[in-house]
């Protein structure tokens, strides 16, 4: 290896180390917790809302289910949240861990969304929707707990308001995005 290549590699290594150091420094800041939680809540509510325009066609037209099947699908999500939130909150508080349950919740939310999209039977949709609810319960309870850990006093209310604005944007954007996808190509 020439001296120039060694110098280039050394510069690249030091640049990467500087970037990693800045990322680690930012990750320990309360703003990072707030950004991650707000984005997680936004992603969760977008995913929740995106299927709203699709659901009647999937259930009534493709699977020939009754319209009451729609309500059961949405109810399964709620049941999942009732399972995921308290379980993850207990684990998080008991062992004082937030990072890995949050990462697991986000990865599971993505995986269950793919599972929902690939489902061809009603029972598969029910299982996927229940699993989405569990994942949602994990991300919400862990994310809000992380905010409560790093913000105190008056700034806690402000931080929770920011996180819940991610929820509102997701609730607004999910059905709109789902409707655009549906009108562009259906299911």
């Amino acid at each position: 290896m020439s001296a120039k290549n060694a110098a280039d590699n050394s510069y690249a290594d030091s640049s990467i180390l500087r970037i990693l150091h800045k990322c680690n420094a930012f990750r320990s800041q309360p703003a990072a917790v707030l950004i991650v939680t707000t984005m997680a809540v936004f992603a969760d509510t977008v995913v929740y809302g995106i299927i709203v325009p699709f659901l009647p066609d999937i259930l009534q037209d493709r699977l020939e289910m009754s319209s009451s099947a729609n309500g059961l699908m949405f109810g399964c999500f709620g049941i999942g949240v009732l399972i995921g939130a308290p379980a993850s909150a207990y684990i998080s508080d008991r062992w004082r861990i937030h990072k890995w349950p949050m990462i697991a919740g986000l990865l599971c939310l993505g995986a269950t969304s793919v599972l929902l999209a690939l489902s061809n039977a009603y029972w598969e949709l029910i299982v996927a929707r229940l699993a989405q609810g569990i994942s949602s319960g994990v991300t919400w309870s862990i994310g809000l707990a992380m905010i409560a850990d790093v913000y105190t006093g008056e700034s806690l209310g402000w931080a929770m308001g920011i996180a819940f604005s991610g929820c509102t944007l997701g609730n607004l954007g999910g059905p709109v995005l789902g409707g655009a996808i549906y009108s562009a190509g259906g299911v």
Side-chain angles (χ1 to χ4, degrees):
M1 179 185 297
S2 72
K4 181 178 179 339
N5 286 345
D8 287 344
N9 286 340
S10 174
Y11 178 74
D13 289 344
S14 67
S15 295
I16 291 171
L17 289 175
R18 274 195 305 267
I19 291 169
L20 289 174
H21 178 71
K22 286 181 181 182
C23 287
N24 281 333
F26 176 70
R27 190 178 64 161
S28 65
Q29 298 297 314
V33 170
L34 183 58
I35 290 168
V36 167
T37 300
T38 302
M39 290 174 63
V41 167
F42 171 77
D44 175 50
T45 53
V46 163
V47 167
Y48 180 83
I50 209 165
I51 72 156
V52 170
F54 292 90
L55 203 54
D57 270 1
I58 292 171
L59 295 176
Q60 278 78 50
D61 295 343
R62 189 183 332 157
L63 299 177
E64 300 176 354
M65 302 295 296
S66 70
S67 60
S68 62
N70 294 5
L72 184 58
M73 286 290 297
F74 281 101
C76 284
F77 184 88
I79 291 168
V81 171
L82 288 173
I83 295 167
S88 62
Y90 174 79
I91 290 167
S92 173
D93 287 345
R94 173 103 171 131
W95 288 291
R96 304 297 308 155
I97 55 172
H98 296 308
K99 178 178 152 184
W100 292 112
M102 183 68 159
I103 291 170
L106 289 170
L107 291 174
C108 287
L109 182 62
T112 57
S113 298
V114 169
L115 180 65
L116 184 75
L118 298 176
S119 295
N120 291 315
Y122 186 64
W123 71 268
E124 292 172 345
L125 291 168
I126 293 290
V127 168
R129 202 67 175 145
L130 183 66
Q132 271 187 327
I134 293 170
S135 302
S136 177
V138 171
T139 56
W140 276 75
S141 63
I142 298 293
L144 295 176
M146 290 189 317
I147 289 175
D149 284 348
V150 298
Y151 287 93
T152 58
E154 291 179 20
S155 64
L156 177 59
W158 171 82
M160 290 291 183
I162 296 296
F164 276 95
S165 67
C167 171
T168 301
L169 290 173
N171 282 329
L172 291 170
V176 171
L177 182 59
I181 293 169
Y182 181 74
S183 66
V187 278

